[in-house]
């Protein structure tokens, strides 16, 4: 298959690099010409436009910062959509929006998939990230070999839109965990605990989590660098709120988290790294939540392995 990839940012650049590394015939496009030049130097082809890419490729992947950006790109591609063409949306987006846009693709005879990723930029870089895929089963089987070149664990979540729901569910949980970790670390420091010891206590206990094992390390290092920013967190938990509102679920925790991140953005800027939400507590207490020996960035030390489908055990 000839694949087009639109959006070479923090996540998209790493996913498309995995495709290139694994021998996929790849056409790329981004508003940043330098990013495109980097990929063409490694063997990719520069796409002229989204329309040309949909015309010339079997499938086009979008990985963009907002639903509005995905809409704009898809509108350019739609005239070139027809039988056999696939649109794969790897952005974190709204369930209703991906159903609307995907419906336009399907109406023209194409196939649509929402296939967001989860696990952090460090795992996207190594091809070990998890991928959710919402689409018809036949479409999933057609694209599974492609998805396993970008991710290790691939889950078919059901129809179009289901992957986007589960993506924002998992991002909501990760954000809740980040905020509780911030409170736990600051409280540990204020109570006189050694932060290296506190980190290990959490890691070996019922308080442990993926977020603690990764983000806590760059928090304690002081870099707070996970290549993810506060505006993106606010977008993701806002999308989760939209899902809950449509389903009639009266959430209590998520509205408070939105309030916390709105305050963080007002204080530090929307492009501030998301783990620096801990600065609100550092500022309030006068404490410096850093400790020696932790890395400045998250690194996936698992070797890259071929991906595979995850089948729910209790289905």
């Amino acid at each position: 298959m000839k694949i087009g990839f639109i959006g070479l940012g923090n996540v998209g650049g790493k996913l498309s690099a995995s495709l290139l590394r694994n021998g996929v015939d790849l056409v790329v496009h981004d508003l940043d010409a330098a990013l495109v030049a980097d990929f063409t130097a490694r063997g990719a082809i520069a796409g002229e436009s989204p329309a040309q890419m949909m015309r010339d490729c079997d499938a086009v992947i979008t990985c963009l910062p907002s639903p509005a950006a995905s809409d704009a790109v898809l509108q350019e591609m739609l005239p070139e959509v027809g039988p056999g063409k696939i649109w794969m949306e790897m952005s974190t987006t709204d369930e209703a929006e991906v159903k609307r846009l995907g419906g336009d693709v399907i109406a023209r005879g194409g196939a649509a998939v929402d296939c967001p990723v989860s696990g952090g930029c460090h795992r996207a870089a190594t091809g070990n990230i998890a991928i959710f895929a919402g689409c018809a089963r036949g479409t999933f089987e057609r694209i599974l070999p492609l998805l396993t070149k970008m991710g290790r664990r691939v889950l078919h979540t059901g129809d179009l839109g289901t992957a986007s729901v589960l993506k924002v569910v998992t991002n909501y949980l990760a954000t809740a965990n980040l905020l509780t970790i911030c409170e736990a670390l600051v409280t540990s420091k204020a109570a006189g605990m050694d932060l290296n010891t506190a980190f290990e206590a959490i890691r070996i206990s019922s308080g442990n989590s993926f977020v603690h094992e990764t983000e806590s390390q760059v928090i304690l290092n002081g870099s707070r660098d996970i290549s993810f920013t506060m505006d993106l967190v606010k977008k993701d938990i806002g999308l989760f709120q939209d899902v809950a509102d449509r389903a009639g679920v009266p959430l209590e925790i998520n509205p408070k988290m939105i309030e916390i991140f709105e305050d963080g953005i007002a204080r530090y800027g929307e492009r501030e790294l998301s783990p620096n939400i801990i600065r609100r507590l550092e500022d309030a207490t006068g404490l410096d939540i850093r400790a020696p020996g932790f890395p400045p960035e998250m690194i996936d030390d698992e070797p890259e392995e071929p991906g595979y489908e995850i089948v729910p055990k209790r289905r």
Side-chain angles (χ1 to χ4, degrees):
M1 295 176 74
K2 188 174 186 179
I3 306 301
F5 204 109
I6 301 175
L8 305 175
N10 280 334
V11 176
K14 294 174 176 63
L15 296 173
S16 50
S18 289
L19 292 176
L20 196 61
R21 185 171 63 251
N22 285 287
V24 172
D25 187 4
L26 189 66
V27 182
V28 297
H29 182 70
D30 195 279
L31 295 177
D32 187 335
L35 295 177
V36 175
D38 176 60
F39 270 82
T40 57
R42 289 184 274 160
I45 299 170
E48 296 174 10
S49 68
Q52 173 265 326
M53 292 170 71
M54 180 60 77
R55 182 169 58 251
D56 294 347
C57 296
D58 300 293
V60 177
I61 299 168
T62 49
C63 191
L64 298 164
S66 70
S70 292
D71 182 20
V73 167
L74 186 64
Q75 296 311 317
E76 291 188 50
M77 295 192 292
L78 269 178
E80 304 297 335
V81 172
K85 299 291 186 179
I86 305 174
W87 171 53
M88 299 170 60
E89 172 64 294
M90 300 196 80
S91 318
T92 299
T93 191
D94 178 61
E95 168 208 11
E97 182 70 353
V98 79
K99 285 180 176 179
R100 180 182 73 83
L101 296 177
D104 291 341
V105 170
I106 292 167
R108 290 176 174 269
V113 187
D114 61 322
C115 43
V117 299
S118 183
C121 286
H122 62 305
R123 287 193 172 178
T126 58
N128 287 327
I129 203 162
I131 303 177
F132 303 153
C135 57
R137 182 68 199 185
T139 301
F140 176 77
E141 291 175 355
R142 186 178 170 195
I143 64 168
L144 181 58
L146 186 65
L147 296 178
T148 57
K149 288 179 170 60
M150 292 184 283
R152 180 183 294 188
R153 300 170 182 88
V154 181
L155 177 66
H156 181 220
T157 56
D159 294 334
L160 181 70
T162 56
S164 290
V165 171
L166 291 173
K167 166 63 175 178
V168 297
V169 165
T170 60
N171 278 18
Y172 158 75
L173 291 170
T175 302
N177 202 179
L178 170 61
L179 291 174
T180 56
I181 283 168
C182 290
E183 293 192 349
L185 292 175
V186 174
T187 301
S188 295
K189 177 77 171 185
M193 298 296 103
D194 171 76
L195 287 175
N196 293 74
T197 303
F199 175 86
E200 291 300 331
I202 296 168
R203 189 184 66 81
I204 66 172
S205 72
S206 59
N208 194 32
S209 67
F210 174 83
V211 175
H212 176 62
E213 291 191 345
T214 54
E215 294 192 36
S216 288
Q217 296 203 56
V218 296
I219 287 173
L220 291 168
N221 170 274
S223 77
R224 281 81 195 265
D225 186 4
I226 65 165
S227 299
F228 206 72
T229 52
M230 290 189 184
D231 60 328
L232 295 178
V233 173
K234 182 186 172 185
K235 181 199 80 169
D236 290 353
I237 58 179
L239 291 172
F240 177 73
Q241 188 68 46
D242 291 342
V243 170
D245 289 346
R246 286 194 295 265
V249 181
L251 299 180
E252 298 177 83
I253 297 172
N254 196 57
K256 183 63 178 178
M257 297 201 317
I258 292 172
E259 178 186 326
I260 289 170
F261 269 91
E262 286 176 341
D263 180 67
I265 288 169
R267 291 171 184 247
Y268 313 118
E270 63 179 13
R271 302 303 293 168
E272 180 60 81
L273 293 164
S274 56
N276 258 328
I277 199 70
I278 198 172
R279 286 178 59 189
R280 296 172 69 253
L281 293 171
E282 288 180 313
D283 292 347
T285 61
L287 296 173
D288 180 5
I289 307 303
R290 289 183 292 179
F294 291 96
E297 60 184 9
M298 297 186 298
I299 298 171
D300 183 15
D301 56 6
E302 293 183 89
E304 183 174 4
E305 294 182 4
Y308 54 90
E309 180 183 0
I310 295 291
V311 179
K313 293 180 180 179
R314 294 167 184 83
R315 177 175 290 173

